[in-house]
Amino acid sequence: MYAILDIEATGGKLGEESIIEIAIYKFDGLEIVDQFISLVNPEKKIDQFVQKLTHITDKMVLTAPKFHEIAKRIVEITDDCILVGHNVMFDYRMLVQEFERLGYSYKKDWIDTFEYSEKLIPGLPSYSLGKLCASLGIVVTDRHRASGDARATISLFKMLLDKDSKKIITKIITKTITDLKEMTDMKEMTETTEDIKTLISQIEILTEMTE
């Protein structure tokens, strides 16, 4: 079972961002069997750049549930699932970060459709989500919104599964404790360098913008 997801975040310094929108579709390989979509109140201001990119404003999230109010639902819908996303490490990092703030260790295996697109559909000019979908004829609605991007990822993932004659995707990349430690070490290394933390976060936002 797969949990195909996309997350939008406030932007800002690495490790200090918060989720502002999340979409998760539980997918059995053939069809969607459950879904969860919600704006999230980050309890902080959304970066102006992010507001322009996503059209999600501070006012829109003001009455949205806070992360701790939706955490149980996220755990339930992703239970026994492999996370799937495009550049999924951003989405996974945000979930790990939010759950850590609640004192909960969130660990999942994951599949990155960016990586498998490069392997299974080589030779395309770009593998960013928007440009990749345009090349493959996948219609994307509500670009840079969690639900729209997640639905596009579902269509892409279905295509990848169909093309996966050698069952490459069954070789799941498992994120172990060592991987999580590397994420922690990266955060610690940049903890004293505020400019670097901000830069890394902005690079993630710019990656979203160019897709």
Side-chain angles (χ1 to χ4, degrees), residues 67 93-106 180 183-184 187:
F67 186 81
R93 179 177 71 79
M94 289 305 305
L95 284 176
V96 169
Q97 183 171 288
E98 292 280 11
F99 277 110
E100 280 181 348
R101 291 169 182 165
L102 300 178
Y104 180 85
S105 180
Y106 185 84
L180 291 172
M183 291 170 64
T184 302
K187 180 180 175 183

Side-chain angles (χ1 to χ4, degrees), residues 11 25 28 30 37 73 78-79 86-87 95 103 108 114 118 137 149 157 163 170 181 185 187:
Y25 293 92
D28 65 3
L30 296 173
I37 304 161
R73 176 66 173 129
T78 62
D79 185 42
H86 204 73
N87 289 316
L95 284 176
K108 287 289 177 184
F114 184 104
E118 288 184 314
D149 286 358
F157 188 54
K163 290 180 177 294
T170 60
K181 184 178 182 300
D185 289 345
K187 180 180 175 183

Side-chain angles (χ1 to χ4, degrees), residues 168-183:
I168 296 173
I169 294 177
T170 60
K171 309 277 187 184
I172 303 302
I173 300 174
T174 304
K175 299 312 291 173
T176 62
I177 294 173
T178 301
D179 296 308
L180 291 172
K181 184 178 182 300
E182 287 177 0
M183 291 170 64

Side-chain angles (χ1 to χ4, degrees), residues 1 4 7 19 29 47 60 62 69 72 78 95 98 100 107 147 157 206:
M1 196 73 76
I4 301 179
I7 285 171
I19 293 173
D47 187 274
M60 287 171 63
L62 192 60
E69 296 176 289
K72 182 180 177 182
T78 62
L95 284 176
E98 292 280 11
E100 280 181 348
K107 299 174 185 177
S147 180
F157 188 54
L206 286 168

Side-chain angles (χ1 to χ4, degrees), residues 103-157:
Y104 180 85
S105 180
Y106 185 84
K107 299 174 185 177
K108 287 289 177 184
D109 295 339
W110 52 262
I111 295 171
D112 192 339
T113 53
F114 184 104
E115 176 187 351
Y116 285 107
S117 293
E118 288 184 314
K119 291 180 179 179
L120 295 169
I121 316 173
L124 295 180
S126 174
Y127 290 88
S128 64
L129 184 60
K131 293 176 182 177
L132 178 59
C133 287
S135 296
L136 299 174
I138 297 171
V139 176
V140 184
T141 57
D142 293 328
R143 187 70 182 98
H144 298 300
R145 292 297 298 267
S147 180
D149 286 358
R151 280 192 167 276
T153 303
I154 293 170
S155 298
L156 173 60
F157 188 54

